[in-house]
Amino acid sequence: MLVYPSGIDLSSSALRFLSTQLRAHRRRRGTRWRRLSAGRQALLTLAHLRCGHTYAQLAAGFGVGTATAYRYIAEAVDVLAALAPDLAAAVKAAARKAFVILDGTLLPIDRIAADRPFYSGKHKKHGMNVQVIADPHGRLLWASPALPGAVHDIRAARTHGVIDALTDAGLACWADKGYQGAGGTVRVPFRGRRERLSAGQRAANLSHARIRALGEQAMAALKQWRLLRKLRCSTTRITETVKAVLVLHLATSG
């Protein structure tokens, strides 16, 4: 396999952050020697998450075996995932904000047509449903564990306890029509054809759409990590991957 130099569109702070976490993890485990230093292991993991390179490609580039590359990346992902804020912490952090934006996204996966639980009728593809909370500026605050793509957004939000948590905190939340009937503090646009809505309802929907558009920035921040654009790993590993990406985003976007 040919090897060539490449770049990753990340700041050095991401590499420093992950390297520090891996060094601390190695000290806790009493690790004495590895094929790659903590810094190189961090770079290997960032290349996988940000660029979506396969284990075979990364193994060739870093001069290790494919199995070793897999183990190093899985270890780093688990270290990062353990640092991810839970829903309660995210709601607490957002408590002083005027409102939050709730939205769901489908992370495409490499599945066959027979895997019906993972098929999203809305998106017409297989994937995993992830709920996202963003602040009024469109900054990502929290990402949920992944559920099969057949799960609708409102059901996913209820499963994770998002609606109850926001309501208990008295935190206003803006969401799209997929959350119709959520109740609590969740605000959704008026349903119906535009021509059948009153002028006031149309104006409210327009204002609502402008606010929700900020939530797309959070989705874009999540999917800048190209691995999430087409996941080929086991579905049992996707939640940890999403959490790892969330932690890296939070650690480097402040």
Side-chain angles (χ1 to χ4, degrees):
M1 184 179 292
L2 297 176
V3 178
Y4 67 96
S6 183
I8 306 176
D9 56 339
L10 287 172
S11 67
S12 58
S13 61
L15 181 63
R16 290 195 301 270
F17 173 78
L18 182 51
S19 298
T20 299
Q21 298 302 322
L22 289 174
R23 290 190 190 99
H25 176 70
R26 291 184 180 191
R27 285 195 299 271
R28 289 192 297 269
R29 294 193 60 186
T31 302
R32 295 185 177 182
W33 182 85
R34 292 284 189 93
R35 288 291 302 275
L36 297 180
S37 66
R40 293 287 286 173
Q41 182 182 1
L43 185 60
L44 171 74
T45 304
L46 292 176
H48 178 65
L49 294 175
R50 190 70 172 188
C51 305
H53 295 322
T54 65
Y55 297 119
Q57 291 171 325
L58 293 169
F62 283 80
V64 297
T66 302
T68 301
Y70 172 82
R71 288 197 306 270
Y72 281 8
I73 291 171
E75 178 185 45
V77 166
D78 288 341
V79 168
L80 288 170
L83 302 174
D86 58 14
L87 178 60
V91 170
K92 183 178 180 180
R96 296 183 179 180
K97 301 183 183 299
F99 60 88
V100 295
I101 303 166
L102 173 64
D103 203 354
T105 187
L106 186 82
L107 302 181
I109 59 174
D110 188 15
R111 308 294 291 186
I112 61 175
D115 294 323
R116 298 301 300 176
F118 300 97
Y119 184 77
S120 169
K122 175 183 177 181
H123 298 277
K124 309 300 182 186
K125 64 178 68 173
H126 292 82
M128 299 293 282
N129 181 301
V130 172
Q131 299 294 297
V132 169
I133 294 178
D135 72 6
H137 301 285
R139 289 189 289 261
L140 184 62
L141 296 176
W142 177 78
S144 75
L147 293 175
V151 177
H152 294 282
D153 283 338
I154 187 169
R155 180 182 167 193
R158 285 173 173 161
T159 299
H160 298 307
V162 177
I163 298 170
D164 289 340
L166 295 175
T167 301
D168 291 344
L171 191 56
C173 171
W174 299 79
D176 62 24
K177 294 178 181 178
Y179 299 88
Q180 197 79 35
T185 56
V186 177
R187 303 178 183 180
V188 296
F190 291 100
R191 298 185 64 181
R193 292 181 176 274
R194 189 176 187 280
E195 60 271 15
R196 295 182 180 179
L197 298 177
S198 67
Q201 289 174 326
R202 290 198 296 269
N205 280 2
L206 179 61
S207 175
H208 194 282
R210 287 172 177 169
I211 293 173
R212 281 196 306 105
L214 297 173
E216 296 301 322
Q217 298 178 24
M219 294 299 186
L222 197 64
K223 293 192 175 181
Q224 281 179 349
W225 300 80
R226 284 179 280 281
L227 181 68
L228 299 182
R229 298 178 189 176
K230 184 67 173 181
L231 288 155
R232 294 178 174 84
C233 62
S234 168
T235 54
T236 60
R237 292 290 301 169
I238 292 177
T239 291
E240 284 72 20
T241 301
V242 171
K243 287 183 177 180
V245 168
L246 172 65
V247 169
L248 286 169
H249 173 76
L250 294 176
T252 58
S253 62

